[in-house]
Amino acid sequence: MRAGTFKSPLAYTREGDYIRHIRELFGDIRLSDLRPDDVRHAYADAKKNGMSDGKLHGTHVKLRQILQDAVDNEIIGRNPCSPVKLPKPTYRERKPLTAEDASRLLACLLKEPLSAKAAGTMLLLQCGLRRGEMLGLSWRDYDPEGRVLRIARQYTNDKALRPPKSKMSRRTIEVNDTLAGYLDRWKTAQHEQLARYGLNQDEDTPIVNGIKVVETEDGKHAAIVNIDGHNFDRWFRDFCVDNGFGTYENVTSTFTRNGKKHVRGTGYRGLVPHALRHTQATLLIGEGADVKTVQARLGHASSNTTLAIYSHAIEANDRKAADAFGRILDGR
């Protein structure tokens, strides 16, 4: 397994974990001696020992892939994984904001001083982007006349710009009036901020930018950089606590700014960035958007993914549809 064949070091590490699990499950059993029942028993033992459904499913997919390659190369006569049916892991219950809370979050963002991280949060709320997709946007990806965003890259946890995770993730997203106006104001404010450091804004400037200042013998030098995801998350937690969307279990400091009390601490509980993606999808489905539209907007590889994750919202819509049809027949 070569690192260069993977799109990211994280994917390479994940594949390595699956290989390690296979070795732990099957030890020194020869491929030609492996039977379907051996696979089933190994999976049952793994579950008893606490392996999660998601990890077990990923390990199964990798083992089946390896064994099929052995079949194709005539190393073994049949794939012992083929008869073994392992259900896909169930998705965790999603906790999106209600329409009222999403509206309140928007109001809080509009009151917040213009900044890169506030702009990033606005993009998450209004477009349902993944965090990495938001951090990977530059001004070349925003068309203010057509009012669309082009999702072409993501800024990953290993601090590299990479293509999105799937073909469907490469997409364009329509921008509403509120976000368009906000991005126009932020672009102007960002231009002024960068100018104070002697930096120029151009189409390659990240929309959600950071400024790195390095001191050398020649003096201080500034550069535009992409914001690290962990730094964004830290700001997001503080913003949520300041506005009643989260709390810190252990308060380490308090201060007052512009007449408002702020607390900082550890042990955060509350809204997380990815919940804004689920908020977008759930509210759109609640307003009657079809699954294919939501799939395209969120960049899911398959509509089945959208159906599986947001089944609760789709079921609620089905109840609305049944009640509406009943009113039609009743002449109400």
Side-chain angles (χ1 to χ4, degrees), residues 70-90:
V71 171
D72 294 342
N73 285 281
E74 300 181 353
I75 298 172
I76 58 177
R78 81 288 179 270
N79 187 339
C81 274
S82 296
V84 179
K85 304 303 178 185
L86 196 65
K88 287 187 177 181
T90 56

Side-chain angles (χ1 to χ4, degrees), residues 7-278:
K7 290 184 177 180
S8 79
L10 296 177
Y12 177 69
T13 300
R14 185 170 59 247
E15 291 288 297
D17 287 339
Y18 292 148
I19 298 296
R20 178 171 54 82
H21 295 321
I22 290 170
R23 287 173 176 163
E24 291 171 350
L25 290 174
F26 300 101
D28 297 325
I29 299 178
R30 292 170 57 88
L31 293 182
S32 57
D33 295 335
L34 196 61
R35 299 289 182 268
D37 274 349
D38 296 326
V39 177
R40 294 187 184 97
H41 291 320
Y43 289 169
D45 290 340
K47 292 198 71 171
K48 287 179 182 177
N49 292 327
M51 183 180 284
S52 69
D53 290 342
K55 192 174 294 184
L56 185 58
H57 184 266
T59 302
H60 173 63
V61 170
K62 175 50 61 177
L63 177 61
R64 186 176 61 200
Q65 183 183 66
I66 292 170
L67 292 173
Q68 187 56 48
D69 187 59
V71 171
D72 294 342
N73 285 281
E74 300 181 353
I75 298 172
I76 58 177
R78 81 288 179 270
N79 187 339
C81 274
S82 296
V84 179
K85 304 303 178 185
L86 196 65
K88 287 187 177 181
T90 56
Y91 290 96
R92 298 189 305 272
E93 182 182 355
R94 310 291 168 161
K95 294 184 178 179
L97 293 175
T98 64
E100 292 76 15
D101 282 341
S103 180
R104 186 169 74 83
L105 180 66
L106 174 61
C108 292
L109 281 169
L110 292 174
K111 292 178 183 177
E112 184 77 11
L114 285 168
S115 71
K117 290 164 184 154
T121 305
M122 182 68 79
L123 285 162
L124 294 180
L125 175 64
Q126 297 278 7
C127 297
L129 304 179
R130 300 175 178 93
R131 186 190 66 178
E133 293 172 342
M134 173 270 290
L135 295 174
L137 288 170
S138 66
W139 288 113
R140 73 165 62 246
D141 300 317
Y142 174 52
D143 175 8
E145 294 184 4
R147 295 198 312 173
V148 295
L149 278 172
R150 182 174 64 97
I151 311 303
R153 296 168 298 174
Q154 58 178 336
Y155 190 64
T156 56
N157 285 336
D158 59 324
K159 300 182 180 180
L161 281 168
R162 303 183 187 281
K165 59 187 296 185
S166 69
K167 183 178 179 181
M168 282 297 295
S169 294
R170 299 175 182 87
R171 62 199 190 277
T172 57
I173 295 177
E174 298 285 339
V175 169
N176 61 32
D177 291 339
T178 300
L179 180 57
Y182 189 93
L183 288 175
D184 291 342
R185 294 193 300 276
W186 164 235
K187 189 173 185 180
T188 299
Q190 184 194 64
H191 180 273
E192 295 171 354
Q193 290 176 11
L194 294 176
R196 289 196 287 270
Y197 287 89
L199 299 170
N200 295 320
Q201 182 191 69
D202 58 31
E203 61 181 11
D204 292 320
T205 301
I207 295 178
V208 184
N209 75 296
I211 298 175
K212 183 177 182 180
V213 179
V214 178
E215 190 166 359
T216 67
E217 294 180 355
D218 300 330
K220 292 183 177 180
H221 302 275
I224 302 171
V225 297
N226 290 82
I227 286 182
D228 174 77
H230 298 298
N231 289 334
F232 174 82
D233 287 350
R234 190 179 305 115
W235 179 91
F236 186 87
R237 290 193 295 270
D238 289 342
F239 169 80
C240 287
V241 172
D242 289 344
N243 292 283
F245 291 97
T247 59
Y248 286 122
E249 292 183 354
N250 307 305
V251 176
T252 58
S253 65
T254 61
F255 61 93
T256 301
R257 180 187 296 152
N258 298 326
K260 183 177 180 180
K261 183 180 178 181
H262 301 264
V263 301
R264 298 292 179 260
T266 60
Y268 174 77
R269 297 178 65 87
L271 184 68
V272 295
H274 205 65
L276 300 184
R277 180 170 168 82
H278 304 315

